[in-house]
Amino acid sequence: MRTCTDCDLRVEGDWERCPLCGSVLHGAEPGGQPEPSPYPAVPLRFSRRRVLRVLTLTSLGVIALSFLAQLLFRHDAESLGALRTVWLGVVATWLVVLMAVSKRRNLAKFIVYLVLAAGGMSVYWDYLTQWSAWSLTYMVPILCAASIVGLLITVRLIRMELADYVVYSGLTVLLGLTPIVFLSLGWVGVALPSVICGALSLAVVVLLLTLRGGAVRHELATRLHL
Amino acid sequence: MKRRHWVRLDNASNIFPAARSDVDPKVFRLGAELDHEVDPGLLQEALEESFERFPLYHAVLRRGVFWYYLQDSDLQPEVRAEAEQVCAPLYQADRRTLLFRVVHHRRRVSLEVFHALSDGTGALWFLTDLLSAYTRRRFPGEAPAGGGDAEQVRPGASERPDPPPARIGTHPGAQAAEEVHELTQDSFAHYFRGRRRRREPSSHEQDFTREAAPAVLTVEEAEDPEDAWPEEGDQDSRSSRPPRRRIHRVRGTRTPDNRTHALELSMPAAPVLALAKAEGVAPTMFLTALFFEAIRRTDESAHAGATMAASVPVNLRQFFPSTSARNFFATIRVEHTFGQGDDAPGAVARRLQEAFSAEATPEALERRLHRLIRVERWPLARIVPRPVKDLLLSLINQANNRSLTVAISNLGRVTLPAPAQAHVGRMQFHVSAVRPQFCAITHDGQLTLGFTSPFVETAHVREYARLLTGAGVEVSLAAARTTEEELAGVDP
């Protein structure tokens, strides 16, 4: 074992200099080989995280700014239509990617986020292109219905524990009921998509409560425990 | 369809998920150095055996709307070669992982635990059990001596209030594990909330509830110490303490990737005990006084009137017998202002000892804990959503950090059951830290001080070592490479 004469202590491991004071250590090992350290050398892992963080923040900033920028263009700027659509598409893609990365460990939660983000964005898009209610008429019901079907497939394909998806499945189904509200308020042009979506959601609610009622109540009691 | 058993993480343990950060993942490590290179295969078998006996360790942490809760899981632990830094993060939101890990490197076995699951004592039981199971397999010829020798060493009772390892460290793990299964009521309800009738779930669920039932009171970061001591016994200490005194805090350069900077000083325990005895104080307070002195010597900003404060955990099991492996400790804060009389470490230690003794009594602790439990049971506090609770708790935690210079934790003298006792040398104890900290543990006549800090600077440890070597103690240092220079040649 080597010694640091400045600190007057023995230093274990293959250090050349004292980890405390930095002075050169004395006394070689008998075999000439340095004694291995009781701690492994763990390489730095930080740069990757820093890059990821910077990228995420920059992307979020750009996305937020581009949403604001869209509001500045007049509704009637005809020539901008195509450009705007392409640009919003790019922004939407990034938003979904960022959400998918941050929620990658909880698929059911990601689906809820996806429905909320995509629904919100289509409403916004609709608003930018002189509100014709296409988002509420078609986009939101289709999105909700598709997400419910998607969720059912996901649960079938991936071995998920009921507890892991039941709350977010519930939320998805509740979102699926919102088109009915839009319908009753008369905000939609064509009733069919909302009706289909609502019916599907109701069916799933009934299914969930009859087949998994106990589990749902148990999970809700757990999460809402006071 | 498996319905998972779950139990709420009590308010006191909630501080750990809330106070967790990149710098301080609230993970602690207990380690043991064996007399041979560890056999990973046998260690895995031993881990599986111990894991069976500690249903609490099956738990994963989940987030509810109002509280965190521990939920039973089917996950199986695996021993791994150590490839991460000391006290690397364990709990990550949305990631359902076990809240502990067992790693090995050369002759060392280390158990790392997320603090919300267990405290040092509970983890020591698990490690003891693990080491016994391992050495039984590695040295099948050596029959266990029945743990009789372990029972003789019970420093706690007479030496109070030095955070006596009491039965804790000296308690053979296997025995502790069995006791845990006998427990019918959790210590928390038993001591501080009055008796309540409990449901009787079945088999594994039953084990899980028992072990996972909140036994806790981490007073640590939960309350301002000024408020925590309203009784008359404290009148003089309060009036003698000027209000709003600035506490000296250590500052430094963060480690490059937020890893905990871990350094370890090992020394024979006897000379250090003799030094403490010569000053007429308990070892923990002696070591704490040395820590203050080391920081004063290395930190220019620690001027003459500087006040230094340390938090010292007290194992509640010594006052309120409990075999719960969950958190069951309170922390006591001691402080010293330099430049007001004798500042020699011995004198400082005596004064710290006095303050500590006054607070580390069953009566004082009980008053304080009842109070905390009342706060926890307060209806308004219960309906606050968890993210808001997290925010509030992390603010309280930050405020509390501002009133501390260092933290100290002493697990005391550990005696393992045979045959582990014969094959384990030094033991190690480290806690991830937002401020300089040391953790002490003694085994086989060797005292090991695990210094941790979020900073690259090591001057305070150097001074600490020099104070000890200056007093004639033989010290050896083991360090994990931490800074960019130290890791220059290491490939990722």
Side-chain angles (χ1 to χ4, degrees), chain B residues 365-380:
Chain B
L365 287 167
E366 198 171 351
R367 275 202 302 273
R368 187 168 160 193
L369 297 169
H370 270 300
R371 240 177 99 94
L372 275 165
I373 300 320
R374 262 210 308 282
V375 175
E376 186 202 321
R377 307 278 304 160
W378 196 40
L380 209 65

Side-chain angles (χ1 to χ4, degrees), chain B residues 308-389:
Chain B
M308 293 195 195
S311 78
V312 187
V314 182
N315 180 5
L316 291 172
R317 293 175 188 83
Q318 58 184 301
F319 303 111
F320 311 101
S322 158
T323 45
S324 168
R326 295 210 59 202
N327 281 315
F328 196 45
F329 69 98
T331 56
I332 286 177
R333 183 175 171 281
V334 289
E335 63 172 49
H336 176 78
T337 304
F338 285 92
Q340 298 179 348
D342 193 354
D343 284 341
V348 174
R350 274 189 294 278
R351 246 181 286 172
L352 295 180
Q353 172 91 62
E354 233 169 86
F356 186 85
S357 305
E359 304 190 6
T361 62
E363 298 74 33
L365 287 167
E366 198 171 351
R367 275 202 302 273
R368 187 168 160 193
L369 297 169
H370 270 300
R371 240 177 99 94
L372 275 165
I373 300 320
R374 262 210 308 282
V375 175
E376 186 202 321
R377 307 278 304 160
W378 196 40
L380 209 65
R382 293 159 76 172
I383 58 162
V384 173
R386 182 194 45 79
V388 179
K389 279 196 188 97

Side-chain angles (χ1 to χ4, degrees), chain B residues 112-400:
Chain B
E112 293 192 330
V113 180
F114 182 52
H115 216 323
L117 182 71
S118 194
D119 61 5
T121 307
L124 187 56
W125 285 341
F126 188 85
L127 182 67
T128 304
D129 201 59
L130 177 69
L131 291 170
S132 302
Y134 172 78
T135 45
R136 268 203 313 277
R137 286 175 166 74
R138 183 72 173 69
F139 306 97
E142 301 171 25
D149 53 337
E151 281 303 298
Q152 306 161 10
V153 199
R154 275 196 188 176
S158 55
E159 280 178 24
R160 245 173 44 192
D162 184 31
R167 281 170 274 238
I168 306 12
T170 58
H171 212 112
Q175 190 184 331
E178 278 161 27
E179 285 181 16
V180 168
H181 291 281
E182 285 162 19
L183 190 66
T184 51
Q185 195 172 34
D186 66 75
S187 349
F188 173 79
H190 184 78
Y191 289 112
F192 307 111
R193 209 204 289 161
R195 281 151 207 279
R196 292 175 74 203
R197 211 167 281 136
R198 297 184 65 84
R199 284 169 288 137
E200 288 295 332
S202 58
S203 65
H204 185 71
E205 287 191 358
Q206 195 170 7
D207 295 342
F208 185 82
T209 336
R210 276 183 196 160
E211 289 224 16
V216 165
L217 313 170
T218 320
V219 201
E220 184 168 28
E221 280 114 357
E223 206 166 338
D224 185 337
E226 299 265 344
D227 296 338
W229 299 94
E231 268 71 22
E232 50 338 292
D234 267 42
Q235 283 305 324
D236 29 35
S237 70
R238 285 178 96 196
S239 48
S240 69
R241 190 190 297 168
R244 297 245 153 243
R245 177 179 290 165
R246 239 193 99 254
I247 301 296
H248 177 71
R249 285 163 72 204
V250 179
R251 301 185 190 271
T253 318
R254 286 270 161 82
T255 55
D257 55 355
N258 279 340
R259 67 176 68 190
T260 301
H261 194 170
L263 294 156
E264 179 192 314
L265 297 180
S266 335
M267 64 209 79
V272 180
L273 288 177
L275 285 173
K277 206 165 187 182
E279 298 289 356
V281 291
T284 307
M285 288 303 134
F286 180 70
L287 293 171
T288 307
L290 284 189
F291 205 3
F292 284 173
E293 179 65 17
I295 284 173
R296 191 167 73 113
R297 288 190 184 187
T298 47
D299 207 335
E300 294 118 35
S301 59
H303 51 85
T307 301
M308 293 195 195
S311 78
V312 187
V314 182
N315 180 5
L316 291 172
R317 293 175 188 83
Q318 58 184 301
F319 303 111
F320 311 101
S322 158
T323 45
S324 168
R326 295 210 59 202
N327 281 315
F328 196 45
F329 69 98
T331 56
I332 286 177
R333 183 175 171 281
V334 289
E335 63 172 49
H336 176 78
T337 304
F338 285 92
Q340 298 179 348
D342 193 354
D343 284 341
V348 174
R350 274 189 294 278
R351 246 181 286 172
L352 295 180
Q353 172 91 62
E354 233 169 86
F356 186 85
S357 305
E359 304 190 6
T361 62
E363 298 74 33
L365 287 167
E366 198 171 351
R367 275 202 302 273
R368 187 168 160 193
L369 297 169
H370 270 300
R371 240 177 99 94
L372 275 165
I373 300 320
R374 262 210 308 282
V375 175
E376 186 202 321
R377 307 278 304 160
W378 196 40
L380 209 65
R382 293 159 76 172
I383 58 162
V384 173
R386 182 194 45 79
V388 179
K389 279 196 188 97
D390 273 356
L391 187 71
L392 290 174
L393 282 171
S394 78
L395 287 175
I396 291 172
N397 181 52
Q398 276 171 29
N400 200 62

Side-chain angles (χ1 to χ4, degrees), chain A residues 8-10 12 14 20 36 38-39 42-43 45-46 49 105 109 161 164 218 222-223 225-226, chain B residues 4 6 8 22 62 65 67 69 85 96 105 257 259 264 382 426 430 458 469 475-477 481:
Chain A
D8 191 22
L9 47 74
R10 290 170 302 154
E12 297 171 44
D14 50 357
L20 294 185
Y39 289 99
V42 180
R45 59 178 165 87
F46 209 55
R49 269 174 59 181
R105 294 187 191 115
K109 197 190 264 188
E161 276 201 25
D164 293 354
H218 174 77
T222 308
R223 302 232 181 187
H225 181 75
L226 267 175
Chain B
R4 300 267 168 212
W6 62 277
R8 206 187 85 194
D22 285 347
R62 300 201 55 197
V65 175
W67 304 100
Y69 57 98
Q85 72 269 26
R96 225 142 295 151
H105 181 68
D257 55 355
R259 67 176 68 190
E264 179 192 314
R382 293 159 76 172
R426 291 181 296 182
H430 289 285
T458 55
T469 54
V475 180
S476 73
L477 168 77
R481 293 179 186 269

